[in-house]
Amino acid sequence: AYVQAEAVRLGLHGRVGNRHDGAVEVLAAGAAAALNRLEQSLHQGPPLARVERVVRSASDEAVGTGFTVA
């Protein structure tokens, strides 16, 4: 919910979901500045989260509109 709220606030499209290994995977598309701000907020995470690392990579996957939790 934290990532979805941040992404919507920044006007991004995509999805977020938990992986089986406990990691969170985010696929986001939008303006470069907004993507940079989302990445910065992911390093912080919500108040009770423990963020060990954030890995950013490019993707050609289509994201559609809106931002969903998968």
Side-chain angles (χ1 to χ4, degrees):
Y2 170 81
V3 175
Q4 182 185 35
E6 285 293 303
V8 168
R9 182 181 69 77
L10 293 168
L12 298 171
H13 301 281
R15 63 177 160 73
V16 61
N18 294 326
R19 295 183 356 181
H20 292 355
D21 64 0
V24 175
E25 184 173 58
V26 179
L27 178 63
L35 290 168
N36 290 336
R37 279 182 260 172
L38 178 63
E39 182 180 7
Q40 290 172 353
S41 69
L42 294 177
H43 282 280
Q44 297 296 317
L48 298 178
R50 186 184 79 213
V51 178
E52 293 180 5
R53 67 186 173 126
V54 174
V55 177
R56 184 175 181 170
S57 63
S59 174
D60 291 332
E61 188 175 337
V63 297
T65 60
F67 204 94
T68 60
V69 176

